[in-house]
Amino acid sequence: DMLHALHAVYGELPDSTPLYCGHEYTEANLSWAASLLPASTPAALSSLHSVRSLRARALPSVPSTLGAERCHNPFLRCHVPAVAEELGMPGAAPVAVMQRLRELKNSA
Protein backbone atom coordinates (compact mmCIF):
# COMPACT_ATOMS: atom_id res chain seq x y z
CA ASP A 1 0.00 0.00 0.00
CA MET A 2 2.79 2.43 0.89
CA LEU A 3 4.64 1.68 -2.34
CA HIS A 4 1.46 2.23 -4.35
CA ALA A 5 0.72 5.52 -2.59
CA LEU A 6 4.23 6.88 -3.00
CA HIS A 7 4.77 5.87 -6.59
CA ALA A 8 1.41 5.46 -8.29
CA VAL A 9 -0.54 8.19 -6.53
CA TYR A 10 2.24 10.73 -5.87
CA GLY A 11 3.89 9.74 -9.13
CA GLU A 12 1.13 11.55 -10.99
CA LEU A 13 1.89 14.85 -9.26
CA PRO A 14 4.40 17.41 -10.58
CA ASP A 15 7.73 18.02 -8.86
CA SER A 16 6.52 21.49 -7.87
CA THR A 17 3.81 20.05 -5.60
CA PRO A 18 4.36 21.51 -2.12
CA LEU A 19 4.49 19.07 0.79
CA TYR A 20 3.50 20.23 4.25
CA CYS A 21 4.09 17.91 7.16
CA GLY A 22 2.90 18.49 10.67
CA HIS A 23 6.26 17.99 12.35
CA GLU A 24 9.84 19.13 12.21
CA TYR A 25 11.59 15.82 11.57
CA THR A 26 13.24 16.92 8.34
CA GLU A 27 16.75 17.15 9.78
CA ALA A 28 16.53 13.73 11.45
CA ASN A 29 15.09 12.12 8.31
CA LEU A 30 17.76 13.63 6.06
CA SER A 31 20.50 12.60 8.46
CA TRP A 32 19.17 9.04 8.41
CA ALA A 33 18.98 9.00 4.59
CA ALA A 34 22.46 10.46 4.17
CA SER A 35 24.02 7.96 6.57
CA LEU A 36 22.11 4.98 5.20
CA LEU A 37 22.62 5.64 1.49
CA PRO A 38 25.55 8.04 1.07
CA ALA A 39 26.47 6.95 -2.45
CA SER A 40 23.00 6.65 -4.00
CA THR A 41 21.37 9.63 -2.26
CA PRO A 42 23.87 12.52 -2.45
CA ALA A 43 21.03 15.05 -2.50
CA ALA A 44 20.23 14.11 1.10
CA LEU A 45 23.54 15.48 2.33
CA SER A 46 23.12 18.71 0.41
CA SER A 47 19.57 19.14 1.70
CA LEU A 48 20.73 18.31 5.22
CA HIS A 49 23.18 21.23 5.18
CA SER A 50 20.41 23.58 4.02
CA VAL A 51 17.99 22.35 6.68
CA ARG A 52 20.60 22.67 9.43
CA SER A 53 21.19 26.26 8.37
CA LEU A 54 17.47 27.00 8.55
CA ARG A 55 17.02 25.29 11.91
CA ALA A 56 20.06 27.08 13.38
CA ARG A 57 18.18 30.32 12.71
CA ALA A 58 14.97 28.85 14.22
CA LEU A 59 13.34 28.78 10.77
CA PRO A 60 11.09 25.95 9.60
CA SER A 61 12.31 23.43 7.06
CA VAL A 62 8.83 22.88 5.68
CA PRO A 63 7.25 23.00 3.25
CA SER A 64 9.28 20.90 0.87
CA THR A 65 8.41 19.95 -2.69
CA LEU A 66 7.71 16.56 -4.15
CA GLY A 67 10.64 17.10 -6.51
CA ALA A 68 13.05 17.62 -3.63
CA GLU A 69 11.69 14.58 -1.81
CA ARG A 70 12.11 12.50 -4.97
CA CYS A 71 15.80 13.40 -4.91
CA HIS A 72 16.61 12.64 -1.28
CA ASN A 73 13.85 10.58 0.33
CA PRO A 74 14.81 6.88 0.15
CA PHE A 75 11.15 5.84 0.28
CA LEU A 76 10.55 7.73 -2.96
CA ARG A 77 13.65 6.17 -4.51
CA CYS A 78 13.10 2.47 -3.83
CA HIS A 79 12.73 1.87 -7.59
CA VAL A 80 16.26 3.23 -8.23
CA PRO A 81 18.71 0.34 -8.76
CA ALA A 82 21.53 2.15 -6.93
CA VAL A 83 19.41 2.28 -3.75
CA ALA A 84 18.81 -1.48 -3.85
CA GLU A 85 22.50 -2.08 -4.51
CA GLU A 86 23.59 0.12 -1.61
CA LEU A 87 21.24 -1.80 0.66
CA GLY A 88 22.95 -5.02 -0.45
CA MET A 89 19.91 -6.04 -2.51
CA PRO A 90 21.02 -5.75 -6.15
CA GLY A 91 18.16 -6.48 -8.53
CA ALA A 92 15.55 -6.47 -5.76
CA ALA A 93 11.99 -5.48 -6.56
CA PRO A 94 10.92 -2.02 -5.34
CA VAL A 95 8.51 -3.57 -2.85
CA ALA A 96 11.38 -5.52 -1.24
CA VAL A 97 13.51 -2.38 -1.09
CA MET A 98 10.59 -0.47 0.47
CA GLN A 99 10.16 -3.20 3.07
CA ARG A 100 13.86 -3.13 3.96
CA LEU A 101 13.86 0.66 4.22
CA ARG A 102 10.85 0.53 6.54
CA GLU A 103 12.58 -2.07 8.74
CA LEU A 104 15.71 0.06 8.92
CA LYS A 105 13.78 3.24 9.69
CA ASN A 106 11.74 1.49 12.38
CA SER A 107 14.92 0.33 14.10
CA ALA A 108 16.73 3.68 13.78
Side-chain angles (χ1 to χ4, degrees):
D1 289 341
M2 186 175 174
L3 182 68
H4 174 76
L6 292 177
H7 294 280
V9 177
Y10 288 174
E12 299 291 321
L13 300 172
D15 283 348
S16 60
T17 302
L19 297 177
Y20 296 86
C21 58
H23 52 74
E24 192 55 71
Y25 294 141
T26 307
E27 184 175 352
N29 288 341
L30 286 169
S31 181
W32 176 77
S35 66
L36 179 69
L37 304 167
S40 61
T41 312
L45 189 56
S46 175
S47 296
L48 179 59
H49 293 304
S50 297
V51 166
R52 284 184 174 156
S53 175
L54 288 169
R55 299 304 298 145
R57 293 177 282 145
L59 296 172
S61 66
V62 293
S64 183
T65 64
L66 190 52
E69 293 296 320
R70 285 176 175 144
C71 290
H72 62 243
N73 186 325
F75 292 102
L76 293 175
R77 303 184 77 246
C78 62
H79 63 289
V80 176
V83 172
E85 290 169 14
E86 198 160 0
L87 289 173
M89 306 171 67
V95 70
V97 173
M98 173 74 72
Q99 182 178 20
R100 183 65 182 138
L101 287 170
R102 188 70 264 166
E103 290 168 355
L104 291 168
K105 183 65 174 157
N106 287 346
S107 65

